[in-house]
Amino acid sequence: MKQAIIFDMDGTLFQTNTVLEQALDATFEVLRESQLWVGETPIEKYREIMGVPLPVVWETLCPDLTNEVRERSNEYFQKKLIEMIRLRKGALYSNVVEVLKALSYKYPIFIASNGEQEYLQAIVETYELNPLINKIYSIQLIPTGNKSDLVKSIVEENELEHAWVVGDRLSDIQAAKENELISIGANFDFAQQEELKLAEFVINNLEELMIIIP
C-alpha cells in the first residue's frame, strides 16, 4: 500500500506568528501612507482566518479596497515575509526536523499549503528541509483555490492509497475527510477548538505523530 504524510505549513511546521505581525504591519503602513487605510493593522482578524487562501484573506481584511490594491498589498506582504524568513527571523516548531527525519525513513512527505510557492520554498530552503520533503504543493496550482482539491491532486499524482493529513485549521481537516484520508489536527498557535473537534486525532506537539503514525 502506497502511503504518505501530507503536512500543512503555516501554524503546523512553521511558526508563522514569528514573522506575521511585522510583515502585516509593514504592509498596512504602506496603505496608511497612501491614505488607503485608517486605523490599526487588523492582526487579530488575520489570526482568526489564518489558513484560508490569500485572496480571501485580503477580501476579509480590506473589503473596501479595490482588487488591484489588494493584489499589490499581498505582493508586498509576501515580499516582507520572505525577506524575514531569509534573515531567519522566523522559526520552525519544536523538533520539526527530528520528526520529519524519522517519518521520512518510511513515508514520503508532502506539503499542501494555502501559501504561495515562493514563500513555501523560502521556508524549506532556509531551514534546510529539502532532504526531508518529497514535494511542495501550493494552492496556486489549483484553479479552484480549494485545499481539498489540492490534496486530491497530491493523492492522484503520487498514486497514494492511504495518507495522513496534518494541519491546524478546518481546511486541512476537510481536505482529509473529503479525500477519505486520516485527519490529524495540530493544536498550535492558530488552531480553533471547534475545528479540531472534527479531526480524527489531535496533537499538542509534533512528537505525538510518532505514536499515531505506525
Side-chain angles (χ1 to χ4, degrees):
M1 180 183 288
K2 194 168 183 184
Q3 304 178 88
I5 307 170
I6 302 170
F7 283 92
D8 175 44
M9 179 63 85
D10 290 313
T12 301
L13 297 179
F14 183 66
Q15 296 186 54
T16 315
N17 58 337
T18 57
V19 295
L20 174 66
E21 185 170 337
Q22 188 175 339
L24 199 63
D25 203 39
T27 305
F28 275 84
E29 184 58 33
V30 171
L31 291 173
R32 282 188 285 264
E33 289 173 356
S34 303
Q35 297 184 331
L36 293 169
W37 185 264
V38 177
E40 296 182 356
T41 301
I43 292 169
E44 287 308 314
K45 185 178 286 189
Y46 192 111
R47 291 180 186 277
E48 290 172 10
I49 62 172
M50 192 74 186
V52 302
L54 284 166
V56 178
V57 167
W58 291 101
E59 287 168 13
T60 305
L61 296 184
C62 310
D64 298 327
L65 298 183
T66 65
N67 285 333
E68 183 183 353
V69 172
R70 289 199 292 253
E71 286 173 9
R72 286 204 311 267
S73 297
N74 181 58
E75 288 171 5
Y76 185 80
F77 178 58
Q78 293 296 311
K79 178 183 175 183
K80 295 302 290 185
L81 284 174
I82 291 168
E83 181 182 299
M84 285 188 285
I85 289 165
R86 296 290 189 192
L87 292 171
R88 287 185 171 265
K89 300 292 186 181
L92 300 174
Y93 281 99
S94 178
N95 296 315
V96 164
V97 173
E98 291 79 5
V99 170
L100 290 184
K101 188 175 292 184
L103 292 172
S104 67
Y105 283 127
K106 187 171 182 181
Y107 303 103
I109 304 289
F110 300 108
I111 300 296
S113 173
N114 283 332
E116 296 185 1
Q117 188 71 28
E118 188 178 358
Y119 164 76
L120 299 171
Q121 197 62 46
I123 296 171
V124 169
E125 290 174 359
T126 300
Y127 297 97
E128 301 175 354
L129 300 179
N130 271 318
L132 309 176
I133 293 172
N134 291 66
K135 190 171 178 179
I136 301 169
Y137 291 82
S138 164
I139 201 68
Q140 289 174 300
L141 299 169
I142 302 297
T144 62
N146 185 295
K147 197 161 198 179
S148 295
D149 293 339
L150 181 63
V151 169
K152 182 181 180 181
S153 73
I154 297 174
V155 171
E156 292 177 347
E157 182 177 313
N158 297 281
E159 300 179 341
L160 301 179
E161 299 169 68
H162 180 78
W164 295 266
V165 178
V166 186
D168 65 321
R169 296 310 302 262
L170 183 60
S171 60
D172 304 300
I173 297 167
Q174 288 178 329
K177 289 184 178 297
E178 291 174 15
N179 287 284
E180 299 182 348
L181 308 176
I182 304 297
S183 59
I184 302 177
N187 187 22
F188 300 166
D189 294 309
F190 303 109
Q192 302 288 324
Q193 297 307 308
E194 288 301 312
E195 296 177 0
L196 291 177
K197 287 178 182 177
L198 301 174
E200 291 173 70
F201 298 94
V202 175
I203 58 172
N204 295 301
N205 57 70
L206 287 170
E207 293 94 318
E208 292 176 30
L209 291 175
M210 310 303 293
I211 301 170
I212 296 171
I213 301 175

